Structures are given as structure tokens and as C-alpha cells.
């Protein structure tokens, strides 16, 4: 998961060490202060993703269904390296709406030319089952997908990829939501 710039919340089902949004994981205070002094402000997220955090109730490592979380003031110029590290095949579906395509999607499309991106620009999308089905059809033939956007775009891409069994990542465009790391997508029934 690649996110630009955003503060992430934890979400997920509790089963075998997974964390829910309202649970608290206490970092090692000295290690946290050291990390912050070094400018590593996403220290806790890195530790959680790497499995170095323990559930305070069980003592077992916390696990997430994420390969990576990147939080930075900008990811401009890092797109190709971030996606290459995920091992996605080609072609990639590049899912955005008109606004997010202009804000960041074209830049990502240029950076990922070796992955043969297939731009899929949604017109005023709604996070509902018919739109997920339509997006899944448009992703046919893709090896993975990249969502460029926030809530609706992320949820639609996540749901369509789950339906198709495709991996996906997201370049987030808004810090106002925490669904980037959620194991669920908010999709309305017809």
C-alpha cells in the first residue's frame, strides 16, 4: 500500500492477533523517542507491518494483511520503485476518477510504463455493487490494480480486486479517511 500523505488508522478483524481500530498498541517509549529524533515519524506503523508489535493482551505479534505502508510528504519519483517491490505483473489497471487522475494518476501512469498501465477513469463513481461489477469487467485481463484516490476509489478497487482475486495497491489522495489499510470495503447493496 502506498499512501501520499496520510495518517493511517488501524482496522481489521480480531482473530489471532489482528487489531481493531479502537484497540491500543503501546510502543516502546524509548524506541519511539529515538525514532522520532531520527525523523522516522512512521515508526509505529513500520513496526506493526513488520510484525514487531505485540498484542498487549496475548503477547503475540500483531499481524496485518498488508505488505507495506509508505507515508511521506510526497511519493513523486518513487512510484516505479514502490510498485516494483510488490511484484505485480502487467498490465496493471490504474483506477481513478477524473479529479484524482489529474491530481496524481497521470504522473503514476507515466512512471509505470513498463507495467503497461490501463487507465480506468470512473465518471462520478458510487461505491455500490453495480459499480464494483462494472469495474471488475474493466479490470479483466489485468494482473493487478492500482487505485488512485481515497474512499470511493479505494473501496471500489479493493472490492473488484477481491472479486477477481487480484492484488492491488493504493496511492491515496486524501488524509481524511483510514480505509487504505482496512480489510473491508464499504459497498452499498442495490
Amino acid at each position: 500500500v502506498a499512501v501520499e500523505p496520510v495518517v493511517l488508522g488501524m482496522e481489521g478483524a480480531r482473530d489471532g492477533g489482528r487489531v481493531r481500530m479502537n484497540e491500543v498498541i503501546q510502543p516502546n517509549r524509548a524506541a519511539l523517542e529515538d525514532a522520532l529524533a531520527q525523523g522516522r515519524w512512521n515508526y509505529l506503523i513500520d513496526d506493526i507491518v513488520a510484525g514487531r508489535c505485540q498484542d498487549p493482551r496475548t503477547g503475540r505479534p500483531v499481524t496485518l494483511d498488508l505488505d507495506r505502508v509508505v507515508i511521506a510528504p510526497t511519493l513523486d519519483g518513487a512510484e516505479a520503485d514502490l510498485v516494483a517491490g510488490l511484484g505485480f505483473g502487467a498490465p496493471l489497471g490504474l483506477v481513478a476518477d477524473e479529479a484524482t487522475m489529474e491530481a496524481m494518476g497521470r504522473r503514476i501512469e507515466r512512471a509505470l510504463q513498463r507495467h503497461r498501465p490501463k487507465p480506468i477513469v470512473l465518471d462520478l463513481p458510487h461505491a455500490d455493487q453495480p459499480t464494483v461489477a462494472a469495474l471488475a469487467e474493466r479490470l479483466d485481463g489485468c494482473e493487478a490494480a492500482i487505485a488512485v484516490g481515497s474512499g470511493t476509489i479505494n473501496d471500489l478497487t479493493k472490492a473488484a480486486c477481491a472479486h477477481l482475486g487480484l492484488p492491488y495497491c493504493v496511492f491515496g489522495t486524501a488524509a481524511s479517511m483510514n480505509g487504505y489499510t482496512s480489510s473491508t470495503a464499504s459497498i452499498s447493496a442495490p
Side-chain angles (χ1 to χ4, degrees):
V1 176
V3 179
E4 174 183 325
V6 68
V7 177
L8 298 174
M10 297 296 302
E11 263 186 77
R14 163 144 308 276
D15 69 42
R18 298 199 188 279
V19 177
R20 288 186 191 206
M21 186 152 87
N22 295 327
E23 293 185 55
V24 177
I25 297 173
Q26 296 295 326
N28 174 303
R29 183 52 108 185
L32 177 60
E33 289 175 6
D34 183 53
L36 293 175
Q38 295 175 31
R40 293 179 25 240
W41 52 276
N42 56 342
Y43 156 82
L44 183 57
I45 292 172
D46 290 343
D47 273 5
I48 292 169
V49 171
R52 294 187 297 257
C53 255
Q54 292 184 340
D55 183 315
R57 294 182 313 207
T58 67
R60 294 185 357 218
V62 172
T63 59
L64 296 175
D65 293 329
L66 298 173
D67 293 324
R68 192 172 188 188
V69 175
V70 177
I71 301 174
T74 184
L75 299 176
D76 193 0
E79 302 90 350
D81 289 339
L82 289 168
V83 172
L86 297 173
F88 290 171
L92 291 176
L94 183 66
V95 182
D97 61 22
E98 290 181 24
T100 61
M101 192 62 164
E102 294 309 312
M104 195 186 321
R106 297 278 176 231
R107 184 185 89 203
I108 293 168
E109 181 182 13
R110 286 189 300 274
L112 300 179
Q113 282 304 302
R114 74 180 192 134
H115 291 279
R116 299 189 337 261
K118 174 184 173 182
I120 300 171
V121 180
L122 305 177
D123 184 31
L124 302 172
H126 297 280
D128 56 28
Q129 290 175 348
T131 307
V132 169
L135 177 56
E137 285 181 23
R138 294 177 74 181
L139 286 168
D140 186 44
C142 293
E143 296 293 319
I146 296 176
V148 180
S150 57
T152 299
I153 296 297
N154 182 58
D155 284 349
L156 288 168
T157 306
K158 185 186 305 183
C161 286
H163 176 75
L164 296 169
L166 295 178
Y168 97 106
C169 75
V170 58
F171 282 82
T173 59
S176 60
M177 65 81 120
N178 65 358
Y180 300 116
T181 60
S182 173
S183 61
T184 64
S186 296
I187 304 296
S188 299

